[in-house]
Amino acid sequence: MPHTIAHIDMDAFFAAVEQRDDPSLKGKPVVIGSDPKGGKGRGVVSTCSYEARKFGVHSAQPISTAYRLCPHAVYLPVDGAKYKQASDEIFSILYDFTPDIEPISIDEAFLDITGSYHFYKTPYATCQKIKEEIQKKVNLTASIGIAPVKMVAKIASDLCKPDGLLEVKPGEILEFLAPLPIRRLWGVGPKTQQVFDAMGIRKIGELAQIPLAKLVKLFGESGKHLYDLSHGIDERQVSVDEDVRSVSHEHTFDTDTGQVDEIHDVLLHLSEKVSRRLRKYELKGKTLSIKIRLKGFKTYTRAFTFPEKTNYVDDIYKKAKELFDEFYKKDMKFRLVGVRVSNFEDLYVHDSLFEEEKSNNRVEKLHKAMDVIKDKFGEESIHRGM
Ligand code: TTP
Ligand code: MG
C-alpha cells in the first residue's frame, strides 16, 4: 500500500526560539554557539538565523570564523532547556495529528500520515494545519515536505525552507529528483561524488539513466541502493517508537484570560482527554504536570508525583487544579494551560495480569463505559459532574 510521509523540520530552530523570546532580535543576524570572545573564542556555531546565513555563517563552523564573517551579529549561548521545552511542545502538537511519528532530532521528525490525513481531506491540508498549530501555539515556523517515501519527503522539506510546505505526489517523483545534484541522495558522500564527477554525472536524473548492472559493478551492494534512490524507491518505513513517554493535552485561549472558573473548566476538560488517552493505550503514570503560559510567552510547568500510578480523571483533575491554584496570583492573565501525565512505570496491561480483581472494579468499568460513549459521540458528549 502506498504511504504518505511528511518530514518536518523547524527553521533555524535554536535561533528562532531566541528571536521569538526577544522580539528585538527579529530580522537580525543571531548566532547561537560558543562565546566568540571578540574573534578569539574557541568552539563552534550551533546554528544561526537566516539573516546570519547571508554572511556565510553556518552550523558547525568555528565561532571565530563566524565572528570574522559577521561581527555585528548577536551572539548567544546555547540554552538547551529552553529549546527542549519548545521541542516538547512541538512534538505534543504532532502527536495530536498522528501517533505514527519517528523523531529524528530535537527539531525534526518523520510522520506517517497515511492513516490520518483524511480528517483534513488531503495531506497538504493536514500539514498546513500542523504548521498553523505550531505557529499559533509555539510561535515558530516549520517546514514540511510530503512524499510517498522518506528520502523524498526530507529533500522536499529542505528545498522549501524556511516556512515552506512542498508536496511531491507519487507520479512526480522522478521529475522532482531529476534536476537535483546527486549529493541530495542518501548515502552519496564525497567518495561516491568523486566517482560520479569523473564520469561527468552531476544530477540525479543523469544517475537514474545508468543501468543497474553498471552501478553494481562500480559500487557493489550500494550500487543497487543508489539505483533505487535515484528512481525514488526507498523502502524505509517511518519507525514508530512504541514507548510512549507521556500523554498530554493543551488549550490555547482565544484571548488571554484571568477567569479562574474558566481555567478550571478547561483543566477538567484536558484532564478528561488525558485520562481517556491513557486508558486507550492502557497506561498509568505517576507524574502529573501542568503547563502554564502567561500573557507574552513566559512558560511554566508545575509537577506532582502520585504515590501510586493512575489514569483516573479524578486524580488528574484534582491535582491539576491544586497546582494551578498554588501558582495563581491576582491579575495574572493566561494564554495557555496544559495537562500531562508521564512516568509510566510499567504497563497497565502487566499489573492487570496480577490484579485482576482491581481492574474489574466499578470505577474502571465506569471509565470504560464513558470511553465507549465518547468514541461514538465525541469528546463533548459526556462529562463528569465535579
Ligand atoms: P537543523 O535542523 O539542522 O538546523 P536549524 O533548525 O537551525 O536550521 P534549518 O532551518 O536549516 O533547519 O538543526 C536543529 C538544531 O540543532 C539547530 O537549531 C541547532 C542544533 N544543531 C547544533 O547544535 N549543531 C549542528 O551542527 C547542527 C546541524 C544543529
Ligand atoms: Mg531545523
Side-chain angles (χ1 to χ4, degrees):
M1 189 182 108
H3 283 255
T4 306
I5 294 166
H7 177 264
I8 179 163
D9 189 304
M10 302 303 295
D11 304 318
F13 186 49
F14 294 3
V17 172
E18 299 297 350
Q19 285 180 323
R20 175 194 76 180
D21 292 348
D22 178 356
S24 78
L25 300 176
K26 289 228 164 87
K28 290 193 185 148
V30 175
V31 180
I32 313 294
S34 3
D35 185 349
K37 296 188 178 148
K40 297 200 179 63
R42 299 163 67 94
V44 294
V45 173
S46 273
T47 193
C48 60
S49 66
Y50 279 74
E51 293 84 357
R53 292 181 196 197
K54 288 188 201 139
F55 295 88
V57 182
H58 60 78
S59 291
Q61 183 176 56
I63 199 80
S64 52
T65 309
Y67 193 81
R68 187 166 48 73
L69 293 169
C70 195
H72 62 288
V74 178
Y75 287 81
L76 295 171
V78 173
D79 183 347
K82 186 147 80 169
Y83 314 140
K84 176 69 172 56
Q85 163 91 30
S87 171
D88 285 350
E89 292 171 22
I90 292 157
F91 274 93
S92 125
I93 293 171
L94 299 181
Y95 280 104
D96 284 341
F97 283 83
T98 174
D100 300 328
I101 295 177
E102 179 182 356
I104 300 294
S105 75
I106 189 164
D107 84 326
E108 177 187 358
F110 283 104
L111 280 63
D112 190 326
I113 55 170
T114 316
S116 54
Y117 74 74
H118 304 277
F119 189 74
Y120 293 99
K121 292 212 167 68
T122 63
Y124 195 89
T126 304
C127 292
Q128 226 165 6
K129 185 75 185 159
I130 293 175
K131 276 165 61 71
E132 275 168 33
E133 288 292 297
I134 293 175
Q135 179 72 69
K136 188 172 96 190
K137 295 182 174 161
V138 200
N139 202 11
L140 293 171
T141 63
S143 296
I144 307 184
I146 308 167
V149 296
K150 283 170 98 172
M151 182 194 71
V152 179
K154 160 99 176 131
I155 296 174
S157 76
D158 280 350
L159 290 185
C160 70
K161 270 180 170 297
D163 199 14
L165 176 54
L166 179 60
E167 179 175 14
V168 183
K169 297 208 168 126
E172 301 167 353
I173 295 184
L174 289 182
E175 204 185 328
F176 171 76
L177 291 176
L180 302 175
I182 55 170
R183 66 177 160 74
R184 287 275 176 192
L185 294 179
W186 285 355
V188 174
K191 272 200 182 148
T192 317
Q193 178 90 51
Q194 265 178 15
V195 178
F196 284 120
D197 274 349
M199 295 165 71
I201 304 275
R202 311 219 182 286
K203 295 185 171 153
I204 297 175
E206 293 160 4
L207 167 52
Q209 300 295 314
I210 305 175
L212 173 61
K214 187 165 174 195
L215 285 173
V216 172
K217 212 166 151 197
L218 282 169
F219 300 102
E221 189 58 18
S222 41
K224 162 90 172 84
H225 191 55
L226 284 170
Y227 180 87
D228 283 349
L229 291 181
S230 68
H231 288 84
I233 302 165
D234 173 17
E235 299 293 341
R236 274 165 289 198
Q237 302 293 318
V238 173
S239 139
V240 177
D241 185 1
E242 297 293 349
D243 172 27
V244 187
R245 273 159 301 184
S246 72
V247 168
S248 66
H249 281 282
E250 299 181 355
H251 177 82
T252 306
F253 295 101
D254 290 335
T255 49
D256 299 341
T257 180
Q259 293 284 328
V260 175
D261 287 351
E262 183 188 357
I263 296 165
H264 284 167
D265 283 352
V266 167
L267 287 173
L268 172 58
H269 183 63
L270 295 173
S271 302
E272 285 179 330
K273 281 171 88 167
V274 167
S275 163
R276 180 150 169 265
R277 182 127 63 110
L278 286 168
R279 279 175 279 119
K280 185 167 163 192
Y281 295 122
E282 305 200 306
L283 291 167
K284 288 182 175 182
K286 267 194 112 161
T287 303
L288 176 272
S289 46
I290 61 164
K291 181 162 112 185
I292 291 167
R293 174 166 296 149
L294 297 180
K295 195 173 168 211
F297 263 87
K298 276 226 169 303
T299 308
Y300 304 84
T301 54
R302 292 287 181 270
F304 174 83
T305 297
F306 295 108
E308 300 278 342
K309 53 194 191 297
T310 182
N311 58 15
Y312 293 154
V313 66
D314 310 48
D315 296 342
I316 298 170
Y317 173 63
K318 189 162 164 267
K319 260 305 152 193
K321 181 166 172 285
E322 250 175 65
L323 290 173
F324 175 81
D325 291 345
E326 281 166 20
F327 181 87
Y328 179 78
K329 288 197 187 64
K330 201 170 159 276
D331 295 333
M332 278 180 169
K333 287 260 188 275
F334 296 85
R335 168 162 294 186
L336 169 151
V337 290
V339 174
R340 173 187 302 264
V341 172
S342 57
N343 196 359
F344 306 129
E345 283 194 317
D346 46 353
L347 285 177
Y348 172 49
V349 190
H350 297 165
D351 85 14
S352 72
L353 288 176
F354 300 103
E355 299 177 59
E356 202 144 302
E357 276 187 13
K358 211 169 157 186
S359 73
N360 273 336
N361 71 21
R362 204 189 64 83
V363 185
E364 248 155 63
K365 278 192 177 152
L366 171 69
H367 274 118
K368 287 240 156 79
M370 284 170 66
D371 287 348
V372 171
I373 295 172
K374 286 184 175 177
D375 279 337
K376 267 195 150 145
F377 303 108
E379 193 67 48
E380 308 300 333
S381 57
I382 183 167
H383 286 278
R384 304 169 56 80
M386 268 198 288

